[in-house]
Amino acid sequence: MQTILVIDDDESLRDTIGVMLEQEGFRAVLVEDGRQGFEKALLLKPDLMLVDLRLPGMSGVEICKQLRAAQFQTPIIVLSAIGDEVDKVLLLEIGADDYVVKPFGSRELLARIRALLRRTSPDAHKVFHFGDTEIDLDRRVVLRSGEELKVTPAEYNLLTYFLQNPDRPLTRDMILNSVWGYQSFPNTRTVDAHVVKLRQKLEPDPNIPRYFLTVHGVGYRFVP
Amino acid sequence: MQTILVIDDDESLRDTIGVMLEQEGFRAVLVEDGRQGFEKALLLKPDLMLVDLRLPGMSGVEICKQLRAAQFQTPIIVLSAIGDEVDKVLLLEIGADDYVVKPFGSRELLARIRALLRRTSPDAHKVFHFGDTEIDLDRRVVLRSGEELKVTPAEYNLLTYFLQNPDRPLTRDMILNSVWGYQSFPNTRTVDAHVVKLRQKLEPDPNIPRYFLTVHGVGYRFVP
DNA sequence: GGAGAACGTTTACATTTTGTTAACAGGCAG
DNA sequence: CTGCCTGTTAACAAAATGTAAACGTTCTCC
């Protein structure tokens, strides 16, 4: 899920934007103060920022400049009040990517956000590779030699857990805790059954595991 | 030629705007009453609307809200009387794109109209395609092999949400939030019922979905 | 204003898909 | 060799989904 940081001192506008963003499937983080917003940006590394030009604490212009100076690539949309003379050249200079003038329609803002994300994040598309297998986390799809493969929820969850913990031996308990959660208590043998299924679907030769290795007496290890 | 619908109860203002618009090469349609204006909008599908906030019959706020709820994308400029406290947030919420305060100069209004048309027109004539289906967002029409298809409001909203989020698995909660809004809480099974209906209307073989895929344990995925 | 249609929602049931476990076979390490 | 550990499969249980029908509400048209 993509995170959007909103820095604006108008509380009701902030909330409205927040609600809208969450309806549209984004995670919205709302900040009132300029300086706090700047620090939040450094910590949070959001996928996109909406920044009011005039802010208490630290102006939107300053925020943009300093973030860019710190080599932050986060795309930024500037929100400017209706009276402000918006100088496009200035915006370019400070490293803003787009701007909208208040009052703006929510559809317009959303369209700008989507357009900017599309423009800037072809590489945000996170795809894992190993062998002839490809896992697209955004689309929640597993491809083998380009062909889409059907995987069940349990298999998919197990697979992504392996992907995120390569090379490390993982005990069955660790796997159960992380993939199944603390609440359900299936048998540890359940893990084995699902590893078998992953091997059948993803190993060149399921009888001689190459990627999903057994660590005898411990658990399993994924080697990309 | 672009059509602009003007909804305002002040007769002389209405006429002034009408004359000006026609001088500038627009087609102007003038309506006094709010409710009539709303209906006219549905019928006429104008390129842009000027809507007074306070109106007999149906307020400008209501008009905007209902049009947006019906997925009408027409850009709207709100005309507000000088006394009215114009709440930016309110405008955002109801889906207005801009506003001008009476009394306004004709050049100012014209500039806003042109700016808004420019802002919104690149994606104005947005038509989605998949298979033998065509969806015209402006006209709010769904065609299958060129034939107009009847779709209910709920179906249409669901469909456009899918169109705008292709390839990505959408959970029932995400769908409910975005399509039904965060205030109403229908059963998640309601989503299923409507997906079935979409399939029946739009799939080559509703029994073997090709476009509206089930992601077991997650939700649905639209693959154009 | 009332009858009927259209629509959204829920419910119930059938069906499909998935998860889990038991059982047995085979392998590994000491 | 022997006692655990793992691989594998099939059967059963559980969960998720498909679907149609029923219900209540709103809208429409006389």
Side-chain angles (χ1 to χ4, degrees), chain B residues 17 63 167 180 224:
Chain B
I17 294 177
I63 293 176
D167 291 320
W180 273 260

Side-chain angles (χ1 to χ4, degrees), chain B residues 1-6 17-29 47-48 50 106 109-115 117-118:
Chain B
M1 181 186 289
Q2 290 174 301
T3 301
I4 297 182
L5 177 63
V6 183
I17 294 177
V19 168
M20 179 199 74
L21 288 177
E22 289 184 351
Q23 275 177 14
E24 296 294 326
F26 296 104
R27 186 158 78 99
V29 177
D47 298 287
L48 188 143
L50 304 176
S106 56
L109 179 60
L110 208 61
R112 297 289 180 101
I113 289 173
R114 292 245 158 82
L117 283 175
R118 212 176 310 119

Side-chain angles (χ1 to χ4, degrees), chain A residues 10 12-14 16-17 19-20 22-25 81-82 101-109 111-112 114 118 137-141 148 152-153, chain B residues 68 72-75 87-89 91-93 95-99 112 119 123 161 164-165 167-169 174 177-178 181-182 215-218 221:
Chain A
D10 181 338
S12 56
L13 179 64
R14 215 165 53 224
T16 308
I17 293 177
V19 168
M20 179 197 73
E22 289 184 350
Q23 273 180 25
E24 297 293 327
I82 192 157
V101 179
K102 299 182 195 178
F104 41 79
S106 56
R107 285 164 311 112
E108 187 192 347
L109 180 60
R112 298 285 180 108
R114 291 245 160 81
R118 217 174 304 121
L137 291 187
D138 287 332
R139 299 198 297 144
R140 198 189 177 284
V141 159
E148 190 167 333
T152 68
Chain B
R68 296 314 184 207
F72 260 67
Q73 310 286 329
T74 312
D87 186 346
K88 289 180 246 175
V89 177
L91 290 176
L92 221 178
E93 272 175 358
D97 298 280
D98 200 354
Y99 72 88
R112 297 289 180 101
R119 248 171 25 198
D123 40 12
Y161 183 60
Q164 281 157 12
N165 297 280
D167 291 320
R168 206 155 59 98
M174 285 167 68
N177 274 333
S178 297
Y182 58 101
V215 185
H216 214 280
V218 180
R221 186 157 61 104

Side-chain angles (χ1 to χ4, degrees), chain A residues 136-155:
Chain A
D136 186 330
L137 291 187
D138 287 332
R139 299 198 297 144
R140 198 189 177 284
V141 159
V142 180
L143 303 172
R144 180 137 187 225
S145 351
E147 291 284 310
E148 190 167 333
L149 207 62
K150 261 192 82 174
V151 288
T152 68
E155 285 162 15

Side-chain angles (χ1 to χ4, degrees), chain B residues 43-90:
Chain B
L43 276 172
L44 200 64
K45 289 159 187 166
D47 298 287
L48 188 143
M49 292 172 61
L50 304 176
V51 182
D52 191 11
L53 263 194
R54 277 183 302 142
L55 280 172
M58 183 177 181
S59 80
V61 172
E62 265 314 297
I63 293 176
C64 291
K65 275 192 187 169
Q66 299 226 7
L67 286 177
R68 296 314 184 207
Q71 294 291 321
F72 260 67
Q73 310 286 329
T74 312
I76 299 176
I77 296 177
V78 163
L79 312 175
S80 63
I82 190 158
D84 294 354
E85 258 305 308
V86 177
D87 186 346
K88 289 180 246 175
V89 177
L90 174 69

